[in-house]
């Protein structure tokens, strides 16, 4: 797999619920912070969106919005409307329908939204890849890959057929990849997405992500990028905002958390799987970065899964 695929696979995205929202007349709703990633496609507009930390903006038909970690936000027919406060409590249904405003009027706005969850071991990874809110406007070429996927989600969400949960989860996985591909360069000038757009760094990142247990050094990674050690180190730091070997450490520990949370390998086997020659060296690095030894992390993950 390529580097982006390894990250999305590690996150294990699962669709939890889809929601069709209609608004008519003068209406407004304000949701509390939710934390999970969420998305929305405007099927019919306009309407206004005001999310904490971002200015209010009008959404038009065909606009797409993605929150890596959903904050408090307001949806309204008019930014001056006093919104009704709502708690984003899942109903347990795979697909929900909500109507706001005048129940006797024709909806002036309709949105298809939904939220999904990641494996808790590495759920925070996405927040480092995307802006707090990704807004792709209708007609923006960057959104060409996103809209067909949301159309498929819409079709699947509005029909109750066998396998719906599995299909929605797979579509959310594709939606996440397309969203990451669609982030404009000016929105993510540094970080992993910027690194993946850089042909030389992409080769080194591919090597790290697909062969994490290889005994990589600065020199061998520089060779992957066809650069000198000094030029590679400087360029990697400028684009990725982290030194190469530090990034290698972070990826190895992300994989280690995933392996430990599954409980299928011992600490020593996990150490070898992510590139450490000894369990002691792995334990020192893991404890320094995570604040607890790998065995304690594994036991905590096992306890959490047993309570679900």
């Amino acid at each position: 797999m390529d580097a982006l695929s390894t990250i999305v696979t590690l996150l294990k995205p699962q669709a939890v619920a889809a929601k069709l929202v209609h608004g008519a007349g003068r209406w407004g709703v304000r949701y509390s912070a939710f934390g999970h990633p969420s998305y929305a496609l405007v099927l019919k507009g306009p309407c206004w969106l005001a999310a904490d930390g971002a200015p209010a903006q009008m959404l038009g038909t065909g606009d797409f919005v993605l929150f890596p970690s959903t904050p408090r936000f307001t949806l309204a027919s008019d930014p001056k409307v006093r919104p009704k406060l709502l708690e984003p409590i899942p109903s347990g249904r795979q697909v929900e329908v909500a109507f706001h405003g005048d129940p006797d009027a024709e909806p002036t706005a309709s949105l298809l939204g939904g939220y999904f969850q990641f494996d808790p071991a590495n759920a925070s990874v996405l927040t480092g890849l995307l802006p707090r809110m990704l807004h792709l406007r209708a007609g923006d070429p960057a959104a060409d890959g996103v809209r067909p996927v949301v159309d498929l989600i819409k079709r699947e969400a509005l029909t109750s057929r066998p396998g719906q949960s599995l299909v929605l989860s797979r579509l959310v996985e594709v939606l996440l990849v397309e969203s990451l591909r669609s982030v404009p360069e000016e929105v993510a000038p540094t970080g992993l997405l910027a690194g993946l757009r850089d042909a030389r760094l992409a080769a080194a990142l591919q090597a790290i992500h697909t062969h994490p247990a290889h005994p990589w050094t600065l020199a061998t990674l520089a060779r992957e990028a066809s650069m000198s050690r000094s030029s590679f180190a400087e360029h990697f730091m400028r684009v990725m905002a982290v030194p190469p070997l530090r990034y290698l450490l972070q990826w190895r520990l992300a994989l280690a958390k995933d392996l430990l949370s599954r409980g299928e390998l011992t600490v020593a086997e996990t150490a070898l799987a992510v590139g450490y020659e000894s369990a002691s060296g792995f334990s020192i690095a893991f404890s320094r970065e995570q604040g607890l030894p790998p065995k304690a992390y594994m036991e905590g993950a096992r306890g959490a899964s047993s309570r679900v």
Side-chain angles (χ1 to χ4, degrees):
M1 292 188 290
D2 61 86
L4 186 57
S5 297
T6 62
I7 291 171
V8 173
T9 300
L10 184 70
L11 291 171
K12 301 183 183 72
Q14 289 188 331
V16 178
K19 192 168 188 176
L20 192 60
V21 178
H22 300 292
R26 285 178 58 81
W27 61 277
V29 289
R30 182 160 179 78
Y31 291 92
S32 300
F34 190 48
H36 293 299
S38 64
Y39 64 90
L41 177 71
V42 183
L43 305 176
K44 181 180 180 181
C47 63
W48 284 84
L49 169 67
D52 282 10
Q57 49 196 293
M58 189 173 72
L59 304 180
T61 302
D63 282 14
F64 174 77
V65 175
L66 175 70
F67 289 116
S69 178
T70 307
R72 289 187 300 176
F73 69 93
T74 298
L75 277 177
S77 59
D78 186 311
K80 296 179 181 179
V81 172
R82 185 173 182 176
K84 176 183 178 182
L85 300 179
L86 295 176
E87 290 293 331
I89 301 174
S91 67
R93 295 190 297 272
Q94 184 75 59
V95 180
E96 302 178 54
V97 179
F99 197 103
H100 305 299
D102 186 348
D104 298 320
E106 179 73 18
T108 55
S110 295
L111 300 91
L112 174 68
Y115 80 96
F116 46 101
Q117 293 178 336
F118 295 133
D119 181 66
N122 288 294
S124 62
V125 169
L126 184 65
T127 58
L129 297 178
L130 286 167
R132 293 179 64 184
M133 181 178 76
L134 175 64
H135 179 194
L136 301 175
R137 294 194 178 276
D140 186 342
D144 288 348
V146 169
R147 292 195 186 91
V149 183
V150 182
D151 286 340
L152 289 172
I153 292 175
K154 173 187 173 184
R155 187 180 70 179
E156 188 64 30
L158 298 181
T159 57
S160 181
R161 295 185 294 176
Q164 183 186 61
S165 178
L166 177 62
V167 171
L168 285 174
S169 287
R170 293 294 179 268
L171 288 174
V172 161
E173 196 171 65
V174 177
L175 176 65
L176 180 57
V177 172
E178 289 293 351
S179 297
L180 290 166
R181 288 172 172 174
S182 302
V183 176
E185 186 172 347
E186 63 272 15
V187 173
T190 61
L192 180 61
L193 295 181
L196 293 175
R197 287 193 292 263
D198 186 296
R200 293 176 296 178
L201 294 188
L205 290 168
Q206 175 77 359
I208 288 172
H209 279 258
T210 56
H211 303 287
H214 186 80
W216 296 112
T217 64
L218 185 60
T220 56
L221 287 172
R223 281 200 294 272
E224 292 288 330
S226 301
M227 300 174 71
S228 69
R229 284 195 305 173
S230 58
S231 295
F232 172 70
E234 186 276 331
H235 188 57
F236 195 101
M237 182 67 190
R238 184 173 67 250
V239 175
M240 296 288 293
V242 64
L245 297 184
R246 173 70 183 171
Y247 183 84
L248 172 63
L249 169 66
Q250 292 172 341
W251 178 241
R252 283 174 167 172
L253 293 186
L255 293 175
K257 287 194 293 181
D258 178 56
L259 292 173
L260 291 169
S261 64
R262 288 192 238 165
E264 298 171 357
L265 302 179
T266 65
V267 170
E269 290 169 336
T270 300
L272 289 174
V274 299
Y276 284 84
E277 295 181 353
S278 69
S280 59
F282 167 66
S283 295
I284 291 171
F286 190 95
S287 300
R288 182 176 60 244
E289 297 295 321
Q290 299 300 318
L292 75 169
K295 186 175 182 180
Y297 181 92
M298 182 167 56
E299 291 172 349
R302 187 183 302 135
S305 63
S306 67
R307 293 191 293 271
V308 174

